């Protein structure tokens, strides 16, 4: 039995992390698998537990009180975005400082930084008073966890402790914005949209995805076991479900009118489908605005083999 690993005791998590352990940590987006960023052995355990290639760089999470400029070089744009959206679901990709080790960035000269807004994450980060790497706490290639139970399901044997901060309020991973001296671009859509970013910067930002810019954003990154069918309308969805059922297939149907609710429940729905051993998922795509774009991005990845 591993239930004793799930706790709300932040002091215990600090103790485990301080002695080189790895801890499931709630954030407002998804649960992360946390370790001291400057502890090479602890970070190696994070990669091993996830089964993640070591050249896939990690996000360093900082407390709202931390001096982020110790970790990264902030352009004016990066500073403006941090001021506008931290603490919150925004990751800034900036040039790293000499403090940031290769084992965090996979040898890249940039570092991903984020100040989460989940109260328990903030309390933990304040208490450890250093940066914590925290990739999503799922096995490599699988959907991110949005509850402590999801973390236990995926990594229960490998993790030292899981801090239970309830179900994540956002449900999809943070928006990643690369802020380099000559360019700003959105590398991963999230609940903070390009429109919101452009409003703050009073400038048009690019968007770019792909392996080279941010390794780990493989097309097939968020994959459930079942086949995923994407449709644009409820009517099409019902039709698709009927067609699949007629052919003897078991279908899990995903449809939400409210996009925030959709984001919050998306990964739980995908996990649920796999647990119920159904062979197909029919998902009605959300609108192409707000967090709808991030949901569509993840669904498209879920549908790619
Ligand atoms: O919401 C989130 O961002 C969650 C929570 C736990 O904070 N974390 C998360 O981490 O989604 P992860 O490791 O699953 O995804 C981070 C992405 C990866 O695709 C990684 O390749 C990219 O960020 N990344 C991190 N550092 C990078 C760097 N220096 N250059 C390019 N991409 C980087
Ligand atoms: Mg991930």
């Amino acid at each position: 039995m591993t239930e004793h690993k799930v706790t709300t005791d932040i002091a215990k998590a600090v103790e485990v992390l301080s002695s080189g352990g790895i801890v499931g940590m709630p954030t407002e987006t998804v649960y992360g698998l946390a370790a001291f960023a400057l502890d090479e052995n602890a970070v190696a355990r994070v990669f091993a537990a996830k089964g993640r290639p070591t050249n896939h760089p990690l996000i360093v999470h900082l407390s709202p009180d931390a001096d982020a400029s110790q970790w990264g070089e902030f352009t004016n744009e990066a500073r403006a975005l941090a001021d506008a959206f931290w603490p919150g679901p925004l990751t800034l990709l900036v040039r790293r400082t000499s403090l940031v080790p290769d084992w965090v960035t996979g040898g890249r000269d940039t570092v991903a930084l984020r100040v989460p807004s989940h109260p328990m994450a903030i309390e933990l980060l304040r208490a450890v008073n250093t940066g914590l790497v925290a990739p999503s706490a799922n096995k490599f290639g699988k959907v991110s966890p949005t509850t402590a139970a999801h973390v236990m399901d995926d990594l229960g044997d490998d993790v030292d402790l899981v801090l239970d901060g309830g179900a994540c309020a956002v449900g999809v991973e943070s928006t990643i914005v690369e802020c380099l001296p000559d360019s700003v671009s959105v590398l991963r859509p999230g609940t903070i949209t390009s429109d919101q970013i452009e409003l703050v910067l009073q400038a048009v930002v690019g968007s770019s995805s792909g392996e080279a810019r941010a390794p780990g954003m493989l097309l097939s990154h968020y994959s459930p076991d079942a086949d995923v069918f994407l449709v644009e309308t409820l009517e099409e969805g019902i039709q698709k479900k009927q067609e699949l059922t007629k052919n003897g297939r078991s279908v899990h149907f995903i449809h939400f009118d409210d996009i925030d609710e959709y984001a919050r429940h998306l990964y739980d729905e995908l996990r649920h489908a796999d647990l119920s051993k159904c062979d197909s998922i029919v998902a009605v795509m959300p609108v192409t605005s707000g967090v709808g774009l991030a949901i569509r991005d993840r669904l498209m990845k879920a549908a790619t083999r």
Side-chain angles (χ1 to χ4, degrees):
M1 291 298 278
T2 46
E3 272 70 26
H4 64 277
K5 287 188 178 180
V6 180
T7 181
T8 54
D9 185 347
I10 290 173
K12 201 164 157 193
V14 175
E15 197 183 299
V16 169
L17 288 166
S18 306
S19 52
I22 57 177
V23 172
M25 169 177 84
T27 81
E28 70 280 21
T29 57
V30 301
Y31 274 72
L33 181 58
F36 274 19
L38 300 181
D39 181 338
E40 183 171 12
N41 290 325
V43 176
R45 284 193 59 204
V46 167
F47 280 106
K50 278 183 61 84
R52 174 168 167 140
T54 49
N55 63 346
H56 284 196
L58 303 173
I59 299 175
V60 176
H61 296 66
L62 299 170
S63 113
D65 313 322
D67 177 7
S69 68
Q70 287 186 356
W71 298 80
E73 289 172 16
F74 281 68
T75 59
N76 290 338
E77 289 82 3
R79 182 47 58 204
L81 293 175
D83 288 346
F85 298 114
W86 280 356
L90 175 75
T91 295
L92 291 171
L93 197 57
V94 295
R95 292 243 181 271
R96 69 167 160 173
T97 63
S98 57
L99 173 68
V100 181
D102 280 343
W103 62 77
V104 168
T105 70
R108 292 175 171 246
D109 61 359
T110 52
V111 64
L113 300 174
R114 163 159 138 75
V115 177
S117 64
H118 192 293
M120 208 177 238
I122 290 182
E123 213 181 310
L124 180 67
L125 286 160
R126 282 204 168 117
V128 296
N129 195 27
T130 182
L132 294 177
V133 293
S136 51
N138 51 283
K139 286 281 183 195
F140 180 64
K142 288 297 171 185
V143 298
S144 295
T146 52
T147 65
H150 292 166
V151 179
M152 288 303 292
D153 288 346
D154 276 14
L155 304 172
D157 291 339
D158 304 303
V159 80
D160 297 315
L161 203 69
V162 179
L163 266 182
D164 189 351
C168 300
V170 173
V172 295
E173 303 82 355
S174 61
T175 307
I176 302 183
V177 183
E178 180 187 60
C179 292
L180 298 179
D182 51 359
S183 71
V184 178
S185 39
V186 177
L187 301 192
R188 180 173 71 183
T191 183
I192 294 174
T193 62
S194 295
D195 289 350
Q196 286 174 280
I197 289 160
E198 290 180 346
L199 200 64
V200 169
L201 299 181
Q202 289 295 303
V204 175
V205 301
S207 76
S208 151
S209 55
E211 224 17 42
R213 300 295 280 282
M217 278 180 237
L218 304 164
L219 258 182
S220 63
H221 198 58
Y222 301 86
S223 39
D225 298 330
D227 291 331
V228 180
F229 298 90
L230 305 178
V231 295
E232 288 294 336
T233 65
L234 182 56
E235 291 67 38
E236 271 178 85
I238 293 167
Q239 213 172 4
K240 187 75 200 172
K241 181 178 174 178
Q242 278 167 353
E243 179 194 316
L244 288 164
T245 312
K246 218 182 288 168
N247 291 331
R249 303 191 58 168
S250 50
V251 179
H252 184 84
F253 196 76
I254 304 179
H255 168 251
F256 290 91
D257 284 324
D258 181 282
I259 49 173
D260 293 321
E261 204 186 326
Y262 205 148
R264 232 175 352 258
H265 294 292
L266 173 63
Y267 289 146
D268 191 47
E269 290 283 339
L270 296 178
R271 280 171 182 268
H272 195 80
D274 278 349
L275 277 178
S276 68
K277 301 258 180 268
C278 73
D279 51 47
S280 325
I281 295 170
V282 173
V284 182
M285 296 281 253
V287 292
T288 54
S289 60
V291 73
L293 290 168
I295 298 167
R296 294 175 75 94
D297 169 76
R298 305 311 191 272
L299 280 171
M300 243 111 76
K301 285 173 176 153
T304 305
R305 290 273 165 217

